[in-house]
Amino acid sequence: MVRIAGALLLAGAGLWAGLERGRVQDRRVRALREWAEALDLWARELAYRLPTTAQLLSTLTQRGPAGPKQVFGQALAGLDGLGEQDFETIWQRALADGETDLPDQELELLKGLGTVLGSCGWEDQHSAVERVARQLERRGEALAQALVRERKPWGVLGLSAGCALAILLL
């Protein structure tokens, strides 16, 4: 009886491990969509209001999606040291300190915005923000489609590995 319970626990643990990969990918898709939404808001603010960097970050902190709010808030707080540091350094530090749930490639796209923001004209900033938003959107959609295809195979693979381990140990 104990062996059967142990075998079921091992199979269940394998299934959980397989499905956990899908949950991690879900978080990444959600993060990519939130960042794309935040950058769309950023682009709209630049296009219609022409705010200062502080006003823009304040608006994004208040009205942006939940995930990126922390990064925008840290960047806003970092503006106090703007004379001692350039905005690129402040932005990159906010991205490094914030919890983004983004893969490294997408994080590099966001870090690249720091060179344009606050140092170029609003048209250059607007086009850079829109370009990165579209890239994040495309990557999020591709990841979501891959997740739909791969969720079941990962679950089956995890369950199979758990069953194989249970057989080996029985």
Side-chain angles (χ1 to χ4, degrees):
M1 186 68 169
V2 173
R3 286 183 174 193
I4 292 173
L8 288 174
L9 285 174
L10 283 173
L15 177 62
W16 176 84
L19 294 177
E20 179 62 22
R21 177 164 167 90
R23 283 189 286 276
V24 168
Q25 296 294 72
D26 274 338
R27 283 194 302 270
R28 287 184 176 164
V29 168
R30 191 174 325 112
L32 285 167
R33 287 180 178 161
E34 285 181 345
W35 274 99
E37 182 183 336
L39 293 179
D40 282 339
L41 176 60
W42 191 325
R44 284 193 308 271
E45 288 293 314
L46 282 173
Y48 298 118
R49 289 188 349 142
L50 297 176
T52 64
T53 304
Q55 290 171 333
L56 179 62
L57 289 172
S58 176
T59 299
L60 292 169
T61 301
Q62 294 169 4
R63 296 183 26 217
K69 277 185 179 184
Q70 178 189 17
V71 173
F72 294 135
Q74 289 176 343
L76 180 62
L79 287 180
D80 294 338
L82 191 56
E84 301 161 5
Q85 303 171 3
D86 59 347
F87 183 74
E88 180 178 5
T89 305
I90 294 169
W91 178 246
Q92 289 183 358
R93 182 174 295 126
L95 283 170
D97 293 345
E99 195 166 313
T100 60
D101 281 334
L102 291 175
D104 291 338
Q105 290 178 336
E106 285 75 12
L107 198 55
E108 288 303 316
L109 283 174
L110 289 173
K111 285 182 180 179
L113 283 176
T115 59
V116 177
L117 303 174
S119 62
C120 296
W122 75 269
E123 291 172 345
D124 294 334
Q125 291 181 35
H126 183 262
S127 64
V129 168
E130 278 196 330
R131 185 181 68 250
V132 172
R134 297 298 74 80
Q135 288 175 332
L136 292 179
E137 236 174 50
R138 282 192 302 271
R139 290 180 184 194
E141 289 306 314
L143 189 59
Q145 290 173 357
L147 183 60
V148 167
R149 287 189 313 269
E150 296 173 1
R151 184 183 304 263
K152 284 183 185 177
W154 276 108
V156 170
L157 182 63
L159 181 61
S160 300
C163 289
L165 187 59
I167 290 170
L168 285 173
L169 294 177
L170 285 179

